[in-house]
Amino acid sequence: QIKVGDIISFQMRGKEEVIIHRVVEIGSDEEGWFAVTKGDNNAQADPGRRRFTEIRRVLVASID
């Protein structure tokens, strides 16, 4: 289950680039579940909504 604060990697539809950003909002609309993402050093959230099918990975642990 993905929640606000999780770090995910995703691939936007039609693009080959994989992006790693943090989930800042989760919601549901007429298309179903979505997440809003934002890079930690970015002032604004990423444009658009990430759909579950775009998500490639979720960070589950970090070793310091």
Side-chain angles (χ1 to χ4, degrees):
Q1 183 174 352
I2 297 170
K3 59 188 178 307
V4 171
D6 284 350
I7 297 171
I8 62 171
S9 67
F10 59 92
Q11 191 170 8
M12 296 167 125
R13 294 178 206 162
K15 306 240 180 179
E16 290 192 30
E17 176 183 28
V18 175
I19 300 169
I20 300 170
H21 280 176
R22 190 176 304 275
V23 175
V24 295
E25 180 184 336
I26 289 180
S28 184
D29 61 14
E30 62 280 347
E31 293 182 46
W33 182 92
F34 69 83
V36 175
T37 55
K38 178 182 162 300
D40 287 351
N41 291 319
N42 294 348
Q44 297 180 340
D46 301 328
R49 296 173 172 176
R50 307 287 74 79
R51 300 296 171 174
F52 193 75
T53 56
E54 295 175 291
I55 297 171
R56 298 295 170 248
R57 296 197 168 47
V58 178
L59 179 69
V60 294
S62 175
I63 299 172
D64 293 325

